[in-house]
Each structure stands twice: as C-alpha cells, then as structure tokens.
Amino acid sequence: MDQTSPISDAPVLAPSPRNRPQLALVEARFRLVHPAGEIPEESRTALDALLGWVGIAAEIVPAERPRGLKRLGDWAMPGTTPVFAPWLGWSPAAFQHGGFAHLPQAQFVVSYLLDHPRAAPPGLGGLDLMLMSPHPAQCMAEDGGDVPVPRAGVLTAMIRAARAQRRERLAIIVTARQRNAVATRLLAAGKGLTGAGLTLDLLTLEEALPALMRARAPWDAVIAMPDLRSTVFTLLAHASGVCRAWPMLWFAGEGARGLRLVTSEAPGEGASRLPLDAPALIHTLALTLQASGAERHAARLHEAWALLRDSGVTTAGHGQSGVPYAREVTDSAFVAMLCRGEAVSKRPQPVWRALHNNKNASGGSQTSHLRVISSHQTITAG
C-alpha cells in the first residue's frame, strides 16, 4: 500500500504529490501489505477469490518489519504504510483503563455495524452505523484529578469523518464527569466543522442505554469514550444480532491519507486471530479499495454482498440468521457463492455510507451549525 499511481476506474494517471492516495498501483497491480507471517489459509483463499472476482490483479506482500519491533501494535505508527489484517480481531475492551499494553498507535478508530435483512427495501430495515472512539493515548486530563477527555483536534476529526460520509445524527457517549469538558471542546470546535445540519446528542451511558438496546439505534454514528466502547459495542451487537467481527479502521489523521491499519473488531480480550469472517473480509476489502480510489470496485463488492444477503443467504452471527426463508452457510461458502454470482435478488440495494464520501467535508470552507443536545443542556455553536 505504498505505491506510485492510484487505482481508479479511468485510465491510470500519475497522481499529484500533494494528493497521492495511500493505496495505489505498481505496474497495474494492486499492492496489499499485510503483517509479516502467513495469512491464514482460509482467509488467503477467500481474499484471492474476491480480488479475482472484482477484477483487480493484486500483489499481496508482507510489510517490512521495523528493526527491533515485534508486535502488530508497533507497526501501526504515524508515517508508516497502512497494514491490511482483517483476520486480526481487536476487542473493544482493549481500550479500557488507558488502553491495552500493545494497542496499535492511532488518533482514533472507526468500526462499522452493517447488516441488510432479507427483502429490506432501500432505506428501510438495514443497519448502517459508524462507531468511533478516540485512542486512549489521545485523551488527556486538564488538571490533576480530572478525568481524561479527547483532544479537541481528535474530537473534530471524528465528527468530520462522520460528516464526510453524510451521517447527520451522531451521539457522543461519555461518563457524567466527562460531560462538561467534552461540551466545552465541542463549543470550541464548532466553527472548525463543516456541513450544516449536524446534530449531536451528548449523553451519558445511562441516558443512552434505552436507545442502545433497541434493534435499531436512532443515530447513524456514535462516538464512545474509550472506557465505554466495550459496553456500547456489546449492546449494539446484541440488539442488532450482528455478534461477530465488524470491519475496523485505525487512523493517524483525517481521510484516506490518515489510514494506518485495517483490522476487525470482535468480542474477547486484547487481540486474537479470527477464523474467516466473510462479511468482515468483504467490507474491509471494500473500504481498502475505497481508500485507494477504486470507488467503483468497492461499491460493486458491497453490492454483491447486499444482493446475496437480500437473497436470504447469511452466515452465523450476522443478524437475521433464524428468520424464515433464510439460508445459513459457512463463511467460505458465502464467498464462493458471491464469486459465482448466485444472488437471485435483482433489486436496487442501499448505498453503504462508508463508500459514499463527501470529499469536501474536511475542507474547512464552510461554517457549520452544531447543535449539542442532552437531557440537561442544549448548546449551539455557529
């Protein structure tokens, strides 16, 4: 993913040095970098099949190990090449109490709750939620005895990431002791955000619980403080039925150029090597292609997943498994069916907002109107 010319749907052109994407082509081949060591065999087979089906010749190579560094967490450092490893699952609990000892370095993380129930018409019934958290190292206490809160720049970057995907209703979930400090940072950041109509609910975990326990939360994006991420992730997973891995991105800055690491997020402790998870692999690959500039390929891959889901095919732990007329298959069988074009549904599918970025959202050229709503206060910043 440290290449010289971008993937695109038009003829390959040399990129501007100022706007060079993180993922690109070398001699018309897509170069995908993974951590040193073998990719699990089942994941490698599925990855090769998906890349072949989407029509991209790929060079899949191990990342060069920095001298003296042995852990994955040491690799995802600002200024290094992004690493693709969706077979590695990080637990949301790893963000608690200042972060797991070997937590990869980043400014913030984003994972996605995505599901499309059988026969759901466009705009209805599907799940498309973005779950963000600042990295624990980016949360600081202003004075002795204060609780850590995210730096203003990191908070702004997460909100802009949501706006870039045209998400309009966000919740920021904090502890009671964090509420005032976060509200102050939102007021300070308000004029630096772009895009009108942004509504944020600033809530404690206790206030957010009723909504988090619904099958469909009222927000399309959530920012959870690191110590609360595990609880929020668990509630959303169980309420939605999507109880396996979610695609997870680690950012050292805003936009595709800030992407450092692509993994999955899954229940457990610390980090673990996951068995093949077809939706997680499909969606992380689509996000990686999107970041490279291959928007059409990414959209085609997501649409193929959605059509197969709409045809009643599912995998264990990914929602709607027990409904009538659903057919549950193994993850490897799901990938094989997608690549063989076995979806019977021909209906238009909803666009995944993560693949429909508003590229002007982080330009800083507009003034936002930011409403912060909680059960105790309403704050408006112009």
Side-chain angles (χ1 to χ4, degrees):
M1 291 190 281
D2 183 19
Q3 295 85 291
T4 58
S5 60
I7 291 181
S8 70
D9 302 319
V12 176
L13 301 175
S16 165
R18 298 174 56 188
N19 298 310
R20 180 175 295 172
Q22 291 292 326
L23 312 173
L25 283 176
V26 175
E27 298 178 352
R29 291 180 65 84
F30 178 55
R31 193 164 186 257
L32 200 61
V33 177
H34 65 85
E38 292 296 324
I39 302 174
E41 183 177 356
E42 198 174 22
S43 294
R44 178 59 188 259
T45 299
L47 179 60
D48 288 342
L50 291 170
L51 286 168
W53 177 82
V54 84
I56 292 181
E59 181 185 8
I60 304 175
V61 298
E64 294 183 5
R65 185 190 300 276
R67 180 175 296 179
L69 301 183
K70 300 179 179 180
R71 301 178 299 265
L72 172 64
D74 296 322
W75 294 35
M77 302 174 69
T80 63
T81 302
V83 176
F84 182 80
W87 47 88
L88 295 178
W90 279 94
S91 167
F95 289 79
Q96 295 175 348
H97 311 302
F100 187 70
H102 306 313
L103 199 66
Q105 297 184 29
Q107 288 189 2
F108 63 95
V109 296
V110 181
S111 62
Y112 292 95
L113 169 58
L114 184 67
D115 195 29
H116 180 43
R118 176 179 171 83
L124 296 174
L127 295 170
D128 183 355
L129 186 142
M130 181 185 198
L131 176 61
M132 296 175 282
S133 288
H135 193 285
Q138 300 294 326
C139 296
M140 307 294 292
E142 291 185 349
D143 298 307
D146 287 351
V147 294
V149 294
R151 299 175 185 271
V154 175
L155 189 60
T156 299
M158 290 188 290
I159 295 172
R160 282 181 172 167
R163 288 298 300 147
Q165 296 181 13
R166 303 181 183 181
R167 298 177 189 267
E168 298 176 351
R169 183 80 187 273
L170 291 82
I172 302 179
I173 301 178
V174 299
T175 65
R177 293 182 61 198
Q178 290 171 322
R179 184 203 297 271
N180 288 339
V182 171
T184 299
R185 279 166 168 70
L186 289 171
L187 281 171
K191 292 184 178 180
L193 301 176
T194 61
L198 177 62
T199 300
L200 288 83
D201 296 338
L202 179 60
L203 305 167
T204 64
L205 178 61
E206 293 77 11
E207 293 165 343
L209 276 175
L212 291 171
M213 295 172 69
R214 300 177 195 167
R216 187 184 181 93
W219 311 292
D220 47 31
V222 172
I223 297 173
M225 294 300 106
D227 284 341
L228 303 179
R229 185 175 182 88
S230 182
T231 301
V232 172
F233 175 91
T234 301
L235 288 169
L236 289 170
H238 281 278
S240 66
V242 184
C243 297
R244 287 178 67 186
W246 298 7
M248 186 180 200
L249 307 182
W250 304 68
F251 288 92
E254 294 187 46
R257 298 178 66 179
L259 181 62
R260 291 292 174 266
L261 179 63
V262 178
T263 67
S264 295
E265 186 167 25
E269 297 290 336
S272 60
R273 181 161 294 220
L274 303 175
L276 174 63
D277 187 300
L281 179 62
I282 291 165
H283 295 140
T284 52
L285 181 57
L287 290 166
T288 303
L289 292 170
Q290 173 78 7
S292 77
E295 291 92 348
R296 184 171 61 85
H297 295 86
R300 181 171 176 242
L301 189 58
H302 168 261
E303 183 184 43
W305 166 84
L307 286 169
L308 197 53
R309 291 287 285 116
D310 197 45
S311 302
V313 182
T314 188
T315 54
H318 281 289
Q320 299 291 314
S321 298
V323 300
Y325 313 112
R327 177 187 176 190
E328 185 175 299
V329 300
T330 66
D331 291 270
S332 57
F334 189 96
V335 172
M337 293 174 70
L338 183 153
C339 294
R340 289 195 299 264
E342 293 189 18
V344 296
S345 174
K346 305 299 181 185
R347 294 185 302 180
Q349 299 300 307
V351 175
W352 184 15
R353 293 186 182 187
L355 303 182
H356 197 180
N357 289 353
N358 177 1
K359 296 182 179 179
N360 296 321
S362 61
S365 61
Q366 304 177 31
T367 300
S368 69
H369 297 282
L370 175 66
R371 286 195 305 145
V372 181
I373 302 172
S374 77
S375 60
H376 298 289
Q377 58 192 140
T378 298
I379 304 170
T380 302

